[in-house]
Amino acid sequence: MRHIFFLFFLFIMLSGCSKSEAESKDLAVSAVMVPPPPPAGASEYNRKDKDISEPSPKIPQKIIKQASLRFETDNLDRTFKQIQNAVSSNRARIINDSEGKDYNSVYRSLTIKVPSQNFDRFINDVSKGVSYFEVKNISAEDVTEQFIDLTSRLNTKKKLEERYLQILQKATKVSEILEIEKQISAIREEIESKEGQLKYLESRVSESTVTIDFYKTVAQKEGIKISYGSKIWNAIKSGFFSLSDFLISLISVWPFVILFVVFAYFIRRRLKRRKKE
């Protein structure tokens, strides 16, 4: 009987220990699964741009293309007409056209905006018939990374602006409203600045700039065609015109001439009186 009672008591003790161990394990698991409470004093007013994580947008490759060409031609009008045809067929536009002449050549300079997708074809159309380029510079600048950075920053600023607008709707104190509006104004300025930078880059990517300088050499011996008789006659005419200019300049100062004559007359008369005395 004592053995049976002892075994029964031992069984109760072992079951109680196993139950307490299971409860302690459950408590440990529940303690791990409960998330920690948010830190006290957290305020939406102090959130930074870095707290707003935005995924990097997927942007196609952005390339800025530019070209500078210079060559000699034997016919300026024909070359310009060829360039005009290339401009028309490639949907380009001339934004600057200047021409001039120096001591041994006449030249023309054009600045043209070409759609980027037609850049290579335009260069080929202009290059037809050109045997030699004194200058031919073609460059391509990849600004994709700059695009991605600006776009990401712009999206972050817009998201931050939305949060401040939500906070503004909940604000009740005048001081809070003024502070939030100040922050929104600063963010709006940054948004407009980045939008302007993106538009500028987009315009440079969508349209390439091409500068074309072409000239025709003028013979330096053309001055010999003027005869020596013509040169002498031109010299005589030049001297006559110079004399006429001198007389006209004297007429323009006639009051001073009259004063000088009157002054000289009185001085001469006074000198004669002294000699008589």
Side-chain angles (χ1 to χ4, degrees):
M1 188 66 179
R2 290 181 180 180
H3 292 290
I4 296 172
F5 179 79
F6 178 78
L7 292 174
F8 179 76
F9 179 77
L10 183 61
F11 176 78
I12 291 174
M13 291 293 293
L14 292 174
S15 63
C17 292
S18 62
K19 186 177 180 180
S20 62
E21 289 177 0
E23 288 178 355
S24 63
K25 289 181 180 179
D26 293 337
L27 289 174
V29 172
S30 63
V32 173
M33 296 299 294
V34 175
S43 174
E44 291 182 335
Y45 294 92
N46 299 324
R47 290 182 178 176
K48 303 294 183 180
D49 294 355
K50 61 183 179 180
D51 297 331
I52 305 172
S53 59
E54 289 288 340
S56 300
K58 293 182 179 180
I59 296 178
Q61 193 175 24
K62 303 290 185 178
I63 305 294
I64 296 177
K65 297 180 180 179
Q66 292 181 330
S68 179
L69 308 176
R70 177 178 171 82
F71 57 90
E72 184 179 4
T73 180
D74 56 355
N75 192 316
L76 290 176
D77 294 334
R78 184 174 60 196
T79 301
F80 179 68
K81 187 175 181 180
Q82 177 182 343
I83 296 174
Q84 279 185 316
N85 293 335
V87 168
S88 178
S89 61
N90 291 282
R91 295 182 299 167
R93 55 193 176 95
I94 299 175
I95 62 173
N96 186 32
D97 183 0
S98 61
E99 53 185 329
K101 180 179 181 180
D102 52 23
Y103 69 99
N104 66 341
S105 65
V106 289
Y107 60 87
R108 194 162 188 172
S109 180
L110 303 173
T111 304
I112 302 170
K113 289 288 187 179
V114 185
S116 296
Q117 62 271 22
N118 300 335
F119 178 81
D120 296 333
R121 188 174 66 180
F122 177 80
I123 296 297
N124 292 332
D125 292 344
V126 172
S127 302
K128 291 179 180 178
V130 179
S131 58
Y132 173 75
F133 284 97
E134 293 183 9
V135 175
K136 187 175 184 180
N137 293 328
I138 298 176
S139 63
E141 180 183 1
D142 190 348
V143 294
T144 308
E145 184 177 353
Q146 190 174 354
F147 249 91
I148 294 175
D149 181 65
L150 282 173
T151 304
S152 178
R153 291 175 182 271
L154 179 60
N155 292 336
T156 300
K157 292 296 180 181
K158 287 183 177 180
K159 188 67 176 180
L160 184 62
E161 184 185 30
E162 291 178 2
R163 290 194 176 184
Y164 271 106
L165 290 174
Q166 293 174 1
I167 297 172
L168 181 62
Q169 293 177 357
K170 300 176 183 179
T172 56
K173 295 181 180 180
V174 176
S175 58
E176 292 179 353
I177 294 174
L178 293 176
E179 180 64 24
I180 296 171
E181 289 180 345
K182 181 180 178 181
Q183 296 294 333
I184 292 175
S185 177
I187 295 171
R188 172 48 50 183
E189 289 181 1
E190 294 181 12
I191 289 174
E192 293 176 354
S193 174
K194 286 175 174 54
E195 287 178 343
Q197 294 177 32
L198 281 174
K199 288 180 180 178
Y200 175 70
L201 282 178
E202 186 64 44
S203 65
R204 294 188 63 191
V205 170
S206 61
E207 283 191 322
S208 303
T209 303
V210 180
T211 302
I212 304 176
D213 296 322
F214 55 100
Y215 67 94
K216 177 184 177 182
T217 302
V218 179
Q220 298 181 1
K221 297 182 180 180
E222 291 183 354
I224 301 177
K225 296 179 181 179
I226 302 176
S227 63
Y228 287 102
S230 299
K231 291 181 179 180
I232 293 173
W233 176 243
N234 290 334
I236 293 173
K237 288 193 295 183
S238 177
F240 176 76
F241 290 137
S242 299
L243 179 61
S244 300
D245 293 338
F246 176 73
L247 294 176
I248 292 173
S249 62
L250 287 179
I251 294 173
S252 64
V253 296
W254 64 268
F256 299 99
V257 175
I258 293 175
L259 290 175
F260 176 77
V261 172
V262 172
F263 184 71
Y265 172 75
F266 281 108
I267 292 177
R268 186 177 180 182
R269 186 176 178 182
R270 188 173 181 180
L271 291 174
K272 286 182 178 180
R273 287 180 179 179
R274 285 184 178 181
K275 287 182 180 180
K276 290 180 179 179
E277 293 176 356

